[in-house]
Amino acid sequence: MSILAIDTSNQALGVAIINEEKIIGEITTNIAKNHSLRLMPAIEQLMKEVNVELQNLEKIIVAKGPGSYTGVRIGLATAKTMAWALGIPVVGVSSLKVLAYQGRFFQGYICPFFDARRGLVYSGLYEWKNGEIKQVWDEVNISITDLLSNLAKENKEILFLSPDIELHRENITSSIESRAVIPEMAYHISRASHVALAGLHENPQTTHALTPNYLRLAEAEAKWLKQQKEKEENG
């Protein structure tokens, strides 16, 4: 039996299929095109290439954010719909944790992040110990200034991973100096096979209980809540 992994939480779109913990196929694209139009064709193409039928799937693992609001919703909606239709379990994993898998053999801290605009980023801090990934800090929506200020206090080398690395490279190198490690661009793109590995031994969730991990409200939602609060306060 096979497991399907999906990641549309950021610009890169990735799908992978593993069988008995062996990766048998993977597709990754990193272009600014609509995930809603491309995800199902990518899944169908990959399943055809590796000769896996829908009835051969035993689980679906999906990156649940943080990242692009639209991208996260597309991935989760597709994964949940397929899981419900096939009667198989679905697992959601953190998109930041998935990106941290790119630092599997790094000995210091790993700081994955995604740009969240207006000087903010989604980020967390991880490290690998005894072959397992450990979360050092909670994932947060934080200003890049505050993130780097906190990291500057740590006494370890820090591997920075992000598809938005060029937006913040100068700030990182000036704040963390020689302890900042920034690899080549290929390491900054999440892989769907890492989605599969990250969720392989996680407990499945009920289809309706699996929700996005936005780390913050969408701007429209935040404005609506603020308006409701003001109405209540004004009677």
Side-chain angles (χ1 to χ4, degrees):
M1 299 294 282
S2 301
I3 295 174
L4 171 66
I6 297 170
D7 188 359
T8 59
S9 57
N10 287 279
Q11 177 173 291
L13 179 153
V15 293
I17 294 176
I18 66 173
N19 189 296
E20 297 181 356
E21 301 193 25
K22 176 184 177 182
I23 300 167
I24 60 174
E26 183 171 14
I27 292 175
T28 302
T29 57
N30 184 30
I31 53 177
K33 283 192 175 182
N34 195 326
H35 290 334
S36 64
L37 300 177
R38 300 170 54 243
L39 178 55
M40 282 309 301
I43 293 172
E44 292 170 0
Q45 177 187 342
L46 181 59
M47 294 184 70
K48 182 178 180 180
E49 288 286 339
V50 299
N51 198 29
V52 170
E53 302 288 339
L54 284 173
Q55 60 267 26
N56 299 136
L57 294 179
E58 62 177 330
K59 183 191 295 183
I60 297 176
I61 305 174
V62 60
K64 65 177 182 179
S68 158
Y69 292 120
T70 302
V72 170
R73 285 196 295 267
I74 290 168
L76 257 69
T78 301
K80 291 169 66 172
T81 300
M82 290 182 66
W84 181 82
L86 295 170
I88 58 177
V90 61
V91 174
V93 295
S94 162
S95 301
L96 288 167
K97 181 179 180 180
V98 169
L99 184 53
Y101 266 69
Q102 295 281 52
R104 172 66 177 81
F105 299 105
F106 186 72
Q107 298 302 309
Y109 286 147
I110 303 166
C111 180
F113 70 88
F114 304 123
D115 186 72
R117 299 181 182 178
R118 300 179 181 177
L120 299 171
V121 293
Y122 305 116
S123 187
L125 196 67
Y126 292 86
E127 66 178 332
W128 284 87
K129 281 190 173 181
N130 301 319
E132 294 185 3
I133 192 168
K134 304 291 184 182
Q135 189 168 322
V136 180
W137 291 356
D138 288 341
E139 296 178 353
V140 291
N141 179 220
I142 188 173
S143 74
I144 186 66
T145 302
D146 288 345
L147 173 66
L148 294 176
S149 176
N150 292 337
L151 289 172
K153 301 171 187 176
E154 300 292 338
N155 190 30
K156 279 190 177 183
E157 282 194 327
I158 303 168
L159 177 68
F160 289 89
L161 299 171
S162 175
D164 309 303
I165 193 69
E166 294 305 328
L167 294 176
H168 303 286
R169 180 186 290 270
E170 186 175 339
N171 284 339
I172 291 170
T173 53
S174 63
S175 298
I176 310 301
E177 299 178 338
S178 61
R179 291 187 297 109
V181 179
I182 302 177
E184 294 85 354
M185 198 61 215
Y187 292 93
H188 297 280
I189 304 301
S190 297
R191 295 181 55 188
S193 53
H194 289 158
V195 173
L197 294 177
L200 192 59
H201 301 296
E202 296 291 328
N203 293 325
Q205 294 138 291
T206 59
T207 305
H208 299 298
L210 177 56
T211 56
N213 175 27
Y214 291 135
L215 286 185
R216 73 176 183 188
L217 294 175
E219 186 174 356
E221 294 173 301
K223 286 182 178 179
W224 184 86
L225 288 173
K226 181 180 179 182
Q227 290 171 351
Q228 299 309 304
K229 184 177 180 180
E230 290 174 348
K231 285 181 181 178
E232 292 176 2
E233 290 174 349
N234 296 329

